[in-house]
Every structure is written in C-alpha cells, then in structure tokens.
Amino acid sequence: MPTGIRDKVVVLGMGCSKFGEHWDKNAEDLVLDAYEECLADAGIETSQIDAAWFATAIEEQHVGKSGIPLAVALRLPLIPITRVENYCASGTEAFRGAVYAVAAGAADIALAVGVEKLKDTGYGGLPQRTRGVVNDMMIANASAPGAFAQLASAYRTKHGISATDLKRAMAQVSVKSHANAVKNPRAHLRREIDIDTVIKAPIVAEPLGLYDCCGVSDGAACAIVTTPEIARGLGKQGLIAVKALQLSVSNGVEASHNSWDGSYFMTTRRAATNAYEEAGIRNPREEISMAEVHDCFSITELVTMEDLFISKEGNAWRDFLDGFYNSDGGLPCQIDGGLKCFGHPIGASGLRMLYEGYLQLCGRAEKRQLDALKLVLTHNLGGFPHQNVASVSIIGRYEKNV
Amino acid sequence: MEGSGIVAFGAYVPQLRLSRQAVVQANAWFNDSIRSLAKGERSMCNWDEDALTMAVEAARDCLQGVDRGSVRDVVLASTTLPFADRQNAGILATALNLPEEISTSDSGGSQRAATTDLLRALKSAPADPKALTLVVASEKRRAKAASAQELLFGDGAAAVLLGTTNPIARLVASHQISIDFADHYRGEGEAFDYSWEERWVRDEGYRCIVPRALSGLLEKAGIEPGAVDRFILPGAVAHDLAKRAGIRADAVADTLSGVMGDAGSAQPLVMLVHALERAKPGETIVVIGFGQGSDAILFKVTDAITKLAPRRAVAGSLARRRSETNYQRYLAFNGLVNMDRGPRSELDKQTALSALYRNRQTILGFIGGKCRQCGTVQFPKSNVCVNPNCGTTRSQNDHPLADAHAQIQSWTADNLTYSPDPPQHFGMIVFEDGGRLMADITDVGKGEIDVGMPVRMMFRVKDYDERRGFRRYFWKAVPADLPQTAS
C-alpha cells in the first residue's frame, strides 16, 4: 500500500461562483468569479502559481478542448496546464492533479479549476452528444435519469422494499437538500419543498420524478493547494489538509458480467474502502462529520450512503426517512444543497463539494455552519451505474506540527 | 425438380393491430367510401420495425432447429425493402449468422415477387441433398392517409426453407404467366402506389389472368379442381375465382384480411405458412401469386409434416397481439404526419460504415464471446475476459446470443430521451448462461415490465438517419411471450 496523500498537501484557498442559469455569462466569466475569490482567500498573486489543472466534461458545449481556455481566461503566465475530463468526477480530477503535483514536489503552489457552461443547448437536461461511432450503434437509448433509474428497480427488488416506500425515501433525499439550499445564497435552487410535491411531480424516468433529479447549472469552482510548510510561511492559520483522494473506474464487469446485481456502485465501494484506509478511518459512520455526495438523482444519493459504508446495506432508505442525513442529523449530507439544489455544472461539481467542506471546516459556512466538525467526505460519480467513475475525497484539519 | 419442396416454414406479423374502426372514424369525413371497410384490424409495424426486421424474425422462426451452415441461398422478396442499393438479403444473412460462402439476393418489382422466387428456387434445387434455400418475403406497405389501401394493407413476413431431403410439402407442378397488366404501380422514388379502378382490376385482371394460370397448373399436375384441398389467393376474389374454377368453397384459404390485412408480395407466403401449420399429410395446396401476370404452384403435403417442431408461424404471430386504437400513432410511425419531435431528436445519426463493417457480427449478428479459459459468456466479445477472476487475453470464441434465454435485472420507462414512441423502455438484460447488456426494450406498454421478467431478443431498427436515408439496426429485448427454444 502506498503511503498515501494524508496530510501532505493543504488547501491555501478556494472559490466558487454562484451556480445557476447564467444566461448573461460565458464560462470565462464564471471561472473569473471563482478564481478571484480563491486568490483572495489564498492571499497570493497569480504569478506564484506553478501549475494548473482544468476540468470540463462537455467542453464542446462551451470552451473547447485543452488547457488553453483556462490560460487565456486568467492570462496565466505560460505555466503548465492540464485539461482533465472524467465525467462528473472531472472537478475532483483537477484537484487530484494539483494535489499530487504539490505532493510530488513538481509544484509549490498549484491551481485546480472546474467549470461547465451547460445552459446554451436550447433544451432542459444535459446536452446530448455522440458516445463514439461504435457505441452509438449499440448503446441503449437512455437519458441520464433513465440510466440511474435502473438502480431503483434493482435496489427495491434486492431488499424487498415496496415501490411506495422507496419513492418516499427518495423524496426525503430531495426534501432535505432543498431545505439546506434555502440557507445557501450561491445555490441554484433555493425553495423548500415537501414530500408530497416530490411524489406527485411528473415522472422523468420511472420512478424518478422531476424533484428526484438535480439541477443542470452553469458554474465554476476552484482551489489553490500547497504544502503545509509553504502555507504556514504565507501566514495561513487553521490549515485544512487533504486526508484521502481515491478514484475507482469501472472496467466493464457491471456492464458485461453477471456478478453485479445492479443495486449498488461497485466503484464507490472500492474508492471508499481505499479512502478510509488512506485517511485512517475505521468507522465512517462515527468518524465522518459531514458528506457532500454525488446526488445527481435521489436514488444515487440513497444507494451511495450504503456504498460509503455509512448506512447498512438495505438500510439507507430508513436512515433518510429517520432524518439521519438532515442538517441536524447524525451525519449531515448535502448541507450546501448538493447537486440537487446547489446545481451541477459537471466540471465544477467536485470542487464545489470540497469548497463547502473547506468553508465548514474553516467555520465560514454562515447560516449553514455545523458544529464539531472533524472529517469531511466528498464523493463524485460519473457515467452510469453500470459503467462509471467514482471518486472519494476526505479533508480535515491539518494536525501535524510543522 | 423432382423431390424438391418445403422443409420448414416460419412467419412474423407485428404485434400491433390497428383498429379499422379507429381509422374510419378519423377519415370518413374526407373519404366516405371507406365506411364499408370499418371491420376488423390490420397489422402494423412498431416504429422500429420494417420489411427487413420482420424478415429476420420470420427467418428465425423458420430456421429453428436447422443447421444454419446448410443454408446456401437466401432470397428476400419485397417491394418495400429499406435499401434500394445495399443488398437487404445480405443484412438478413448477417443477422441470421449464416455462412459467408452463400448466394444472397433481393427481389421485388411486383406483388408476385415472392411466388416467382419460390418457384425459381424450387426448380433450381442444388444437387447436394443437404443444401437448403431460404426464401423470405416481407412487406411494410405505405399508403396515403384516408385511402382504402391504408385499411386493406397489413405488415408481415413469411419464410420457407427449401430442400430435397424429407420435404413437408413437395412441389408437384407450376404454371406461370407474364402479362403487363398494371392494376397499380409505384414509380421510382415514389412513396405510394397509384391504382386503377377496382372493377377493371377484378374483371380484366384477376378473372382473366388467374384462371389461365390455374387451368395450366391443374392440367400439368393432372389434378381435377375438386381435388384441391387448399386454394391460396390473396385479395377479395378468391371465393369468386374458386367457384368459377370448380374448387371447393371449403378449400379457399382465409386471406387473413380481417385480422392482419394484405402484406403485398409476402401475403401468398403468409397464407401458405398459415395453411401448412394446420395441414395434414396428403393435402393438395395451390398457391397463386398475382401481379403483372400470375404464378400458380401446386404442393402435396407429405408425412414429414407431422414431425416438424411446433413454431410461432402465423397462428402464433396473430396470437401475439396488441390492439392499437390510436390512429395518430399509425400516422406518426409511418411518417404520415409531421410530429414536433423536439431538439433531442436532432442528434446526428451518421453511421461510420467502416466501424459497422468491422463490428458487423456484434451489431447485426448479436455475437458475443465465450472465454475458452473460464467459460464466461460476454457481450460484446472482447480482447480481455471480463470475469474478474479470469482476465485471460485473446481467449474468446464467437458465441451467438440472439436465441439465449434472458430476463430483466433492472429497467425504466424514460420520458426524457427522444423516442418515436415514449416512454423509452430499457434495462439490464441478463442472459441465463452468461452475458448481459443494457438494452432497449420494445413492444411493451406502460406498467407491463418488471424485474425478473423473461425476455427474448429481436432484430430492430435502432435509429433512422433521415439526413442520409440510412437505418441502424440492433437487437432489442421483447417480452418472451412464446416458449423459448435454444438453437
């Protein structure tokens, strides 16, 4: 086992634009909104950044390929910039790149930026794109909600849960996130809803209704990372360190081998197991203080809480109905509103989750501020349940003496 | 010619049956004369069915239990094939996983195409007693809205396998007449037929041409009209012509006009299969094809028919029925109304022909792989075995999956993705002996599917590339409402 990333790199600053339907902004404008906040938080100049990682998932919808759009948007001074894409985990990939560069000594200070400008398609939902000339000839005619809806039928069959009970638990997932987002001025959707509204909403893909699906938003988020020593040298107090960064990518077993039953994420389980080992966590339900998980759809969040070994298998639906993941529950989840309400500009989402965790750990989360925080978990899930990329990241206070 | 005959048969009629009453209700304000046709129903293709997909299904039905390596010749007869220049029979043969060292051909140009092909194939039976010829006829006929044709036509396909070893029906005699009698025509590039007056067609066409073919046939066969046990002639004049010829009224075959309509060039074969599935040894069957002349063929049913395994054929197809009372859906499926399909339908469907060719066994033949090391079946066939406990490289043999037993592991009904018939059903389809794929599910209505439901695979239209006139085909799951047989 590698020694891992724990306490090797700290966050120097973070920033996040308001997420939403920014009809008046280009991707470059959103990047600048996030970057200005981040740079001020870090207390450095652009010239001090050694390298950058830039995440966009559907780049043909806005900025195009390569690291150039980021370099041009911020006039970065001819530094190395790597553009990364790994579906909805893209933002976390940018963070990983920056963190590993610092840990490796390749950069003293590194920048991670994620952005997505989705609202120029002319229709609701995610942009439709080719999946490649061979895949296009075989792939099922699936929307994203349709692909994730598969989880619901497999999960309720496996655990013998009635469609009504599961629908109600899924509704509670969304009700909780809406309640949280009311307190977040940067969130896309800021309106409280009740369970009946969710249950009675039009069906997008059986059994997912309108309120089981996250927002499609424009937005950007970024992070500047460095070593604990440099951060201290720059006068930074109360350092927030990276405790674990893990990624797991489907290799076709779920899609093509009958050992997978369709009710869970094989990749999330692997990434979580590795992340807990990297961070030294034995009992995630007790040791993790809050989580920002990839709630692209209510059923995704519900199943994910089991795959993170926080809820017992077959029991997450009860935990949600019991309020365990509410803001005043045992493990607050999506305290910023999540993808559901903060919004989901794909390339930015992983960094947005880390941004909320960082704010919370720094005690700067204003009306959303939680008490007695130790470790924050973020989780991304890109692709489809049967073929995906899952990331699990853990951050917490830097506790070593420099 | 001696000894050649039909060794097996199959058929396919689409599940959807359009209520003629629904059509007449919508259109009688415009065309009052169609009121008399408001009885029964006609078969209608789902949006993802066409003459080629129906041909594949009819052929699969016909070929069950048959060694596909014995098929040496494939003939596909139709006037409504999807490609004018790309051999449709070649796609059919690929979908059926037939060997490449065979002859394949399309034919059309007349409502008589299938009977002519059938006869030509019977007369040119190869010397090899094991060699088989597959003749498939399929038709998805287009008709203008509010026309009588719209009510009279139906969609369907039939297949017969010909050979010289133990035929179930032996060719006894035939007689052919060629006359340029144009009761209707369809010019190049035209979507619809143009027809002449029905009374002229009956008097100068059927009543003059068919009796000549029939009398020539019976003379060659040395059989009296009264000895004909089954008289097969599509259209409304069969009883009239049988009576004039001295054929028994009880011998006149049901034209299936009440339950499926007239599937054009395929109809004589559909009716022949319908007759064969109930035929007894010793029966005399006469098949008539009509169109710019006439083909008359006489078969004698043999004892071998009692040994043919049961199959879907026509009766099974007709039993697999879903009533369609929404005439608007028929119009939409047949391109007769300009529906607002929304921006999600605009995704470019261009097909990379080189990629299709390279992957033709996977896409058209639905061939997966089976690992020689661990036995794991997988789709698609891949370079590295998917079994997490195996992972052997370059270890997979071809493994056909089209006939494998399967069931639904997870599913949804998707209202967001563009579908010509929303919601789009799809789910994880798991094959009993290994292999799976996330596949479209078709021929189902809302609330009709669930986890664990048995399904079978069917060859269907995946996408229409309307900009380029191309169609993509792939395999989809349908409810397994028929007994499944492994091939």
Side-chain angles (χ1 to χ4, degrees):
Chain A
M1 180 75 187
T3 57
I5 200 69
R6 185 179 177 185
D7 287 328
K8 289 179 179 168
V9 177
V10 298
V11 177
L12 193 59
M14 289 203 77
C16 185
S17 77
K18 179 170 170 38
F19 283 12
E21 293 173 323
H22 288 293
W23 306 115
D24 58 340
K25 288 189 177 184
N26 292 323
E28 294 79 0
D29 304 320
L30 297 162
V31 165
L32 186 62
D33 286 349
Y35 182 67
E36 283 179 329
E37 181 189 356
C38 182
L39 200 66
D41 183 31
I44 60 167
E45 302 293 325
T46 295
S47 59
Q48 292 173 266
I49 296 169
D50 296 318
W53 275 259
F54 180 47
T56 60
I58 311 180
E59 88 288 342
E60 66 269 44
Q61 186 63 40
H62 48 106
V63 296
K65 294 188 188 301
S66 88
I68 295 170
L70 179 67
V72 172
L74 300 178
R75 303 292 184 208
L76 298 178
L78 302 181
I79 60 170
I81 303 173
T82 305
R83 185 243 162 168
V84 293
E85 185 281 314
N86 222 352
Y87 274 145
C88 298
S90 299
T92 298
E93 281 292 10
F95 188 72
R96 261 164 45 92
V99 167
Y100 285 170
V102 167
D108 282 343
I109 298 178
L111 169 69
V113 177
V115 66
E116 215 75 48
K117 172 69 197 171
L118 293 173
K119 296 305 297 179
D120 281 324
T121 55
Y123 51 85
L126 292 174
Q128 282 195 302
R129 297 292 167 195
T130 173
R131 298 185 190 282
V133 293
V134 177
N135 287 335
D136 282 348
M137 291 188 279
M138 298 192 279
I139 204 163
N141 179 14
S143 70
F148 280 86
Q150 306 287 328
L151 280 172
S153 59
Y155 179 87
R156 70 184 180 228
T157 303
K158 180 179 184 179
H159 298 298
I161 302 165
S162 76
T164 314
D165 284 345
L166 185 58
K167 179 85 179 165
R168 193 166 184 82
M170 284 159 48
Q172 175 55 31
V173 171
S174 297
V175 166
K176 169 265 301 162
S177 295
H178 272 262
N180 290 345
V182 170
K183 295 180 183 170
N184 191 341
R186 300 213 184 164
H188 181 172
L189 304 167
R190 302 183 63 203
R191 186 165 67 85
E192 228 165 328
I193 54 170
D194 59 31
I195 279 198
D196 280 352
T197 304
V198 182
I199 289 172
K200 288 176 185 165
I203 294 295
V204 176
E206 177 67 35
L208 303 179
L210 184 62
Y211 290 99
D212 291 299
C213 307
C214 74
V216 171
S217 325
D218 305 324
C222 64
I224 294 173
V225 294
T226 188
T227 64
E229 295 79 9
I230 293 171
R232 288 268 165 84
L234 289 166
K236 191 88 177 171
Q237 301 295 316
L239 296 182
I240 306 305
V242 179
K243 304 289 186 181
L245 284 180
Q246 288 294 331
L247 190 75
S248 175
V249 177
S250 293
N251 64 1
V253 167
E254 305 98 305
S256 302
H257 192 255
N258 289 347
S259 54
W260 182 63
D261 66 17
S263 73
Y264 68 98
F265 293 97
M266 213 176 247
T267 51
T268 297
R269 291 184 179 189
R270 173 64 62 88
T273 302
N274 290 349
Y276 296 151
E277 185 170 349
E278 189 171 33
I281 292 171
R282 288 203 175 80
N283 183 345
R285 192 176 171 105
E286 297 299 324
E287 294 176 57
I288 290 168
S289 309
M290 61 162 272
E292 288 286 336
V293 302
H294 201 87
D295 57 331
C296 50
F297 303 98
S298 57
I299 188 66
T300 320
E301 181 174 337
L302 191 149
V303 167
T304 293
M305 299 323 288
E306 297 181 12
D307 296 332
L308 293 172
F309 311 106
I310 294 171
S311 285
K312 280 186 188 147
E313 196 173 329
N315 225 43
W317 68 282
R318 285 205 177 87
D319 277 343
F320 276 100
L321 287 173
D322 292 346
F324 181 73
Y325 296 112
N326 288 354
S327 59
D328 59 355
L331 199 163
C333 196
Q334 323 302 72
I335 193 67
D336 66 355
L339 302 177
K340 174 72 195 76
C341 296
F342 201 120
H344 186 25
I346 305 169
S349 282
L351 284 159
R352 181 274 300 164
M353 296 172 175
L354 290 163
Y355 173 77
E356 177 67 12
Y358 171 76
L359 289 184
Q360 291 280 354
L361 288 164
C362 292
R364 286 156 44 189
E366 299 177 345
K367 291 180 184 170
R368 311 182 301 285
Q369 186 62 49
L370 301 169
D371 298 331
L373 291 169
K374 284 184 67 187
L375 296 173
V376 173
L377 179 147
T378 72
H379 159 264
N380 289 123
L381 198 286
F384 294 150
H386 65 281
Q387 192 119 297
N388 62 74
V389 174
S391 71
V392 173
S393 308
I394 296 168
I395 58 173
R397 290 196 181 78
Y398 181 71
E399 283 161 350
K400 283 188 188 171
N401 294 319
V402 179
Chain B
M1 187 199 293
E2 188 164 340
S4 79
I6 297 167
V7 299
F9 57 78
Y12 178 76
V13 180
Q15 178 195 41
L16 291 174
R17 308 300 151 75
L18 179 63
S19 156
R20 292 199 176 101
Q21 183 66 41
V23 181
V24 170
Q25 267 176 5
N27 289 332
W29 66 274
F30 182 76
N31 182 358
D32 194 62
S33 72
I34 61 174
R35 285 188 194 281
S36 62
L37 301 173
K39 291 184 287 286
E41 55 193 18
R42 57 153 293 178
S43 56
M44 115 186 202
C45 279
N46 204 340
W47 72 267
D48 57 357
E49 294 184 292
D50 64 14
L52 182 56
T53 67
M54 292 190 292
V56 171
E57 271 310 304
R60 290 175 72 196
D61 192 37
C62 181
L63 290 175
Q64 61 180 279
V66 172
D67 170 19
R68 293 189 182 187
S70 301
V71 178
R72 304 289 165 80
D73 195 351
V74 177
V75 181
L76 177 53
S78 176
T79 69
T80 52
L81 290 171
F83 290 97
D85 189 349
R86 174 192 176 192
Q87 196 187 60
N88 299 278
I91 308 173
L92 171 64
T94 309
L96 296 170
N97 294 315
L98 298 180
E100 291 180 351
E101 310 288 318
I102 62 170
S103 163
T104 52
S105 61
D106 293 342
S107 81
S110 167
Q111 296 301 300
R112 183 157 73 87
T115 49
T116 304
D117 280 340
L118 173 61
L119 199 46
R120 183 171 289 140
L122 284 165
K123 284 179 172 177
S124 59
D128 180 353
K130 284 184 187 161
L132 300 169
T133 298
L134 179 67
V135 176
V136 188
S138 182
E139 205 86 88
K140 181 190 177 186
R141 303 170 84 183
R142 297 192 70 189
K144 286 181 179 169
S147 64
Q149 283 81 2
E150 179 179 58
L151 291 153
L152 296 169
F153 289 176
D155 301 330
V160 286
L161 192 62
L162 311 179
T164 53
T165 306
N166 296 324
I168 58 165
R170 199 180 296 280
L171 173 67
V172 176
S174 64
H175 194 67
Q176 289 179 290
I177 291 173
S178 178
I179 303 174
D180 181 33
F181 178 82
D183 56 336
H184 72 277
Y185 63 87
R186 189 164 77 244
E188 188 190 359
E190 295 295 320
F192 303 105
D193 296 351
Y194 187 86
S195 307
W196 212 248
E197 186 181 350
E198 288 165 30
R199 294 174 62 79
W200 173 73
V201 173
R202 181 192 64 193
D203 293 348
E204 288 287 294
Y206 280 96
R207 281 180 179 168
C208 291
I209 297 169
V210 173
R212 277 177 63 190
L214 187 57
S215 61
L217 175 77
L218 296 178
E219 193 177 312
K220 282 183 186 171
I223 284 176
E224 292 299 314
V228 173
D229 298 305
R230 194 64 62 207
F231 177 65
I232 292 167
L233 172 63
V237 293
H239 274 282
D240 170 62
L241 295 189
K243 191 174 178 185
R244 286 162 187 258
I247 293 170
R248 305 191 316 266
D250 68 358
V252 177
D254 183 356
T255 60
L256 305 172
S257 61
V259 291
M260 73 168 275
D262 189 333
S265 69
Q267 196 66 14
L269 263 59
V270 169
M271 291 171 66
L272 173 60
V273 169
H274 193 226
L276 287 171
E277 65 190 347
R278 294 170 303 165
K280 302 277 188 299
E283 273 186 24
T284 297
I285 296 177
V286 170
V287 185
I288 305 287
F290 179 79
Q292 297 82 56
S294 180
D295 299 319
I297 313 171
L298 194 143
F299 292 102
K300 195 83 172 174
V301 178
T302 74
D303 290 339
I305 201 159
T306 58
K307 297 188 188 95
L308 192 73
R311 57 204 56 218
R312 179 183 58 212
V314 175
S317 294
L318 292 173
R320 183 179 173 271
R321 170 185 171 275
R322 179 187 298 274
S323 176
E324 179 58 77
T325 56
N326 184 353
Y327 173 60
Q328 184 72 16
R329 188 176 272 126
Y330 167 82
L331 292 177
F333 286 5
N334 286 276
L336 294 167
V337 60
N338 200 359
M339 305 285 280
D340 178 5
R341 291 185 278 185
R344 284 182 178 278
S345 70
E346 293 168 12
L347 190 67
D348 194 349
K349 305 289 189 189
Q350 188 195 38
T351 296
L353 297 178
S354 46
L356 172 58
Y357 176 71
R358 202 163 57 235
N359 295 280
R360 64 192 183 280
Q361 287 197 312
T362 302
I363 291 157
L364 300 177
F366 206 53
I367 302 271
K370 185 171 186 178
C371 179
R372 287 185 295 276
Q373 190 68 32
C374 71
T376 297
V377 175
Q378 46 214 284
F379 186 89
K381 186 181 170 184
S382 57
N383 292 326
V384 185
C385 179
V386 73
N387 178 357
N389 300 315
C390 178
T392 307
T393 300
R394 302 184 198 279
S395 63
Q396 293 171 39
N397 292 338
D398 285 351
H399 188 81
L401 279 164
D403 295 323
H405 295 201
Q407 62 175 34
I408 296 173
Q409 181 183 74
S410 66
W411 66 278
T412 192
D414 192 332
N415 287 303
L416 182 60
T417 194
Y418 168 72
S419 166
D421 188 24
Q424 172 71 48
H425 289 86
F426 65 94
M428 186 61 86
I429 305 305
V430 177
F431 297 101
E432 205 171 84
D433 297 323
R436 57 166 53 191
L437 84 161
M438 186 64 78
D440 292 332
I441 303 170
T442 191
D443 286 356
V444 292
K446 285 184 191 178
E448 291 180 359
I449 62 172
D450 208 347
V451 172
M453 184 173 161
V455 293
R456 66 189 295 263
M457 302 307 287
M458 269 199 201
F459 184 79
R460 293 294 183 107
V461 175
K462 178 91 177 82
D463 287 304
Y464 294 89
D465 178 359
E466 291 177 352
R467 283 174 67 183
R468 304 173 186 84
F470 193 80
R471 287 175 202 186
R472 283 180 185 155
Y473 294 92
F474 190 53
W475 294 78
K476 301 183 183 180
V478 301
D481 50 0
L482 296 163
Q484 297 189 349
T485 52
S487 68

